[in-house]
Amino acid sequence: MDRNVTQMMYMEVRKEWNRICDEARPRMAPKCKACKECDSARPKCGFVSSDRGRSGIRNYEKIQQIKLACDTIYEGGNGDEIDSSSDFFGYKMRAPIFNAPIAWVGNVLPNTHFKKPGVENVDGKAIDSDDYAFSKALIDGCADVGTIGWVADSKHHPLVHFYEDGLRAIKERGGLGVPTIKSWDDEKLPNKIRMADEAGAIAIATDIDCVGLGYMSINGKYDILPGLSNPKSARQLKEIFSITEKPYILKGIMTPQGAVKACEAGAAGIVVSNHAGNNLDQSLATIEVLADIKKAVGNDIKIYIDGGFRHGEDVFKALALGADGVLVGRPFMIAAEGGEAYGVSIYMQKLIWELQNAMRMTGCLSLKDITRDKIYITKEF
Ligand SMILES: Cc1cc2nc3c(=O)[nH]c(=O)nc-3n(C[C@H](O)[C@H](O)[C@H](O)COP(=O)(O)O)c2cc1C
């Protein structure tokens, strides 16, 4: 890390974040404008690639309908740092915030600086993007400020080793990272689980909702390669989980029924996610379904959530509705592109301080104090 990010003042972190966005902007083009606030709104956002992108926009908008209940008259506040720490399968995080997994950077950012030298773009894609450097920025940037990064998997291409690159970054960081394996067939998925085991990953995930990914389409056709993106039955999931001793998290749960099935199959956690709205237009926002999912599974399984969360105050809202933690997607791409691991640490530190300030302003000395009565839903969902 260039500087000790955890020692910086909030204003300095904010200034650095703006500078990192400016740095990243030309390299995020043309898909992403590196907006100060990533709201998924079309037409400026080229990342939400399902037909009309309304699920991604709804994620952001519904979070904005929730407000915090300010109350600074309470016992026990002595001005020390508020305790936002949280347990993730035996590891104590400074705050329950993660980057969300993002696949194969060269596929989505033709102008990325994460390129291996000397090879040109192919079909508008930096086909040989330096996915190891990208994954390392995420994993190290999160770990440097006391949280945990997630890395992704991608379709197979002879020049792309995205999954292996992510695992290498995790292994080098002593296992502090969550690899997110696509829902491959019965041969590829177990192999990838074993690889994650060997890398010592703290937990393993599968984006079970990758079945309908719009951003995998090429020329209007789904580019689904043999073996990729299979729905799984609860029976199959049980078998998959039995391959490893590691906690297994299913990403892409959007209903209480889905959460109950994940629980019964033996998942250790779920991520309430609609893949940034990329897999299905007209789905509900993730924050809208969170409370019902919590009601259905209680404390039987860890509940994480992503989709449209941009600030620590947004993280607070999810915790108040029953989440155990929040993943943030696209802004961490900007962070890595604009400042590598340092950029990732800066954005994560900003989120942590915003969460801690929200706690201080609502009388929450630790995460368990963040309850439903600490927020208002201003319009019924
Ligand atoms: C360009 C792009 C690529 C993504 N790739 C993956 C992936 O490979 N695996 C996965 O589980 N989720 C993937 N996601 C979804 C994110 O993990 C996450 O669910 C989503 O971005 C969260 O929403 P947010 O970007 O609004 O924070 C991707 C999202 C985007 C925008």
Side-chain angles (χ1 to χ4, degrees):
M1 188 168 29
D2 307 32
R3 301 170 61 189
N4 192 342
V5 173
T6 59
Q7 304 298 316
M8 283 185 187
M9 305 281 287
Y10 178 66
M11 292 307 281
E12 199 185 349
V13 167
R14 247 178 54 180
K15 211 165 127 204
E16 277 297 83
W17 173 235
N18 288 339
R19 188 187 61 72
I20 285 161
C21 291
D22 291 344
E23 192 77 32
R25 200 159 290 118
R27 305 200 292 254
M28 299 299 289
K31 284 231 168 179
C32 170
K33 310 279 185 295
C35 302
K36 289 249 152 67
E37 180 96 354
C38 169
D39 60 3
S40 299
R42 305 216 89 180
K44 66 179 166 36
C45 184
F47 266 146
V48 183
S49 58
S50 78
D51 245 9
R52 290 141 296 188
R54 279 181 287 202
S55 311
I57 295 169
R58 190 177 178 99
N59 282 342
Y60 176 82
E61 285 177 351
K62 290 293 168 185
I63 291 169
Q64 300 313 305
Q65 288 182 15
I66 304 176
K67 303 295 169 199
L68 274 47
C70 174
D71 175 4
T72 52
I73 303 178
Y74 56 88
E75 291 281 345
N78 58 9
D80 284 352
E81 194 179 270
I82 292 278
D83 182 10
S84 60
S85 67
S86 155
D87 172 77
F88 184 73
F89 303 112
Y91 182 78
K92 186 176 175 190
M93 298 173 70
R94 270 183 70 220
I97 313 175
F98 314 79
N99 77 274
I102 301 270
W104 184 13
V105 61
N107 193 32
V108 281
L109 299 180
N111 298 311
T112 179
H113 84 288
F114 290 111
K115 277 182 193 164
K116 287 176 193 144
V119 182
E120 296 300 314
N121 286 0
V122 179
D123 292 339
K125 297 179 170 66
I127 203 100
D128 69 331
S129 53
D130 190 346
D131 300 315
Y132 165 68
F134 176 66
S135 303
K136 192 139 179 74
L138 294 171
I139 295 296
D140 284 352
C142 288
D144 284 345
V145 290
T147 72
I148 293 180
W150 291 45
V151 290
D153 187 10
S154 77
K155 58 189 169 187
H156 285 190
H157 183 285
L159 287 173
V160 177
H161 308 283
F162 196 91
Y163 182 66
E164 292 82 348
D165 289 335
L167 287 185
R168 193 176 140 206
I170 290 176
K171 188 170 185 177
E172 287 173 359
R173 198 67 198 219
L176 264 196
V178 182
T180 313
I181 311 171
K182 296 251 171 282
S183 181
W184 296 97
D185 62 22
D186 292 349
E187 193 192 318
K188 288 202 188 76
L189 183 50
N191 278 342
K192 291 199 167 198
I193 293 171
R194 286 186 202 105
M195 287 164 69
D197 253 342
E198 278 163 30
I202 185 166
I204 303 174
T206 281
D207 47 328
I208 197 74
D209 64 342
C210 67
V211 171
L213 288 183
Y215 70 82
M216 284 194 176
S217 69
I218 292 178
N219 299 331
K221 291 187 190 137
Y222 278 120
D223 178 30
I224 303 235
L225 303 179
L228 175 60
S229 297
N230 289 306
K232 303 273 185 238
S233 69
R235 179 190 54 76
Q236 284 172 306
L237 287 173
K238 227 177 227 166
E239 278 171 29
I240 289 163
F241 300 154
S242 72
I243 296 169
T244 176
E245 303 273 297
K246 305 272 181 200
Y248 212 109
I249 303 172
L250 286 182
K251 177 170 179 283
I253 302 295
M254 284 296 288
T255 60
Q257 301 91 302
V260 169
K261 282 185 266 183
C263 212
E264 284 170 359
I270 54 171
V271 184
V272 178
S273 173
N274 58 15
H275 229 104
N278 275 326
N279 55 5
L280 177 66
D281 208 51
Q282 298 291 342
S283 86
L284 284 173
T286 55
I287 195 81
E288 286 176 287
V289 296
L290 176 60
D292 283 348
I293 287 178
K294 178 70 181 177
K295 209 161 138 197
V297 293
N299 295 327
D300 292 351
I301 193 167
K302 293 280 182 194
I303 303 174
Y304 304 100
I305 185 167
D306 72 18
F309 295 88
R310 300 294 174 252
H311 297 282
E313 293 84 355
D314 298 336
V315 173
F316 183 99
K317 297 170 190 179
L319 300 179
L321 287 169
D324 294 289
V326 171
L327 285 66
V328 179
R330 285 160 285 174
F332 275 111
M333 263 186 121
I334 300 170
E337 193 62 57
E340 309 214 5
Y342 173 73
V344 170
S345 288
I346 283 285
Y347 183 58
M348 185 60 89
Q349 180 62 44
K350 182 170 165 305
L351 292 171
I352 293 172
W353 275 347
E354 288 165 350
L355 171 63
Q356 290 178 348
N357 189 54
M359 293 171 69
R360 184 175 292 112
M361 293 299 292
T362 53
C364 299
L365 295 174
S366 70
L367 296 187
K368 70 173 171 21
D369 300 326
I370 305 179
T371 43
R372 176 64 182 81
D373 57 320
K374 305 288 181 182
I375 56 165
Y376 301 107
I377 299 182
T378 55
K379 280 191 238 162
E380 267 325 298
F381 283 156

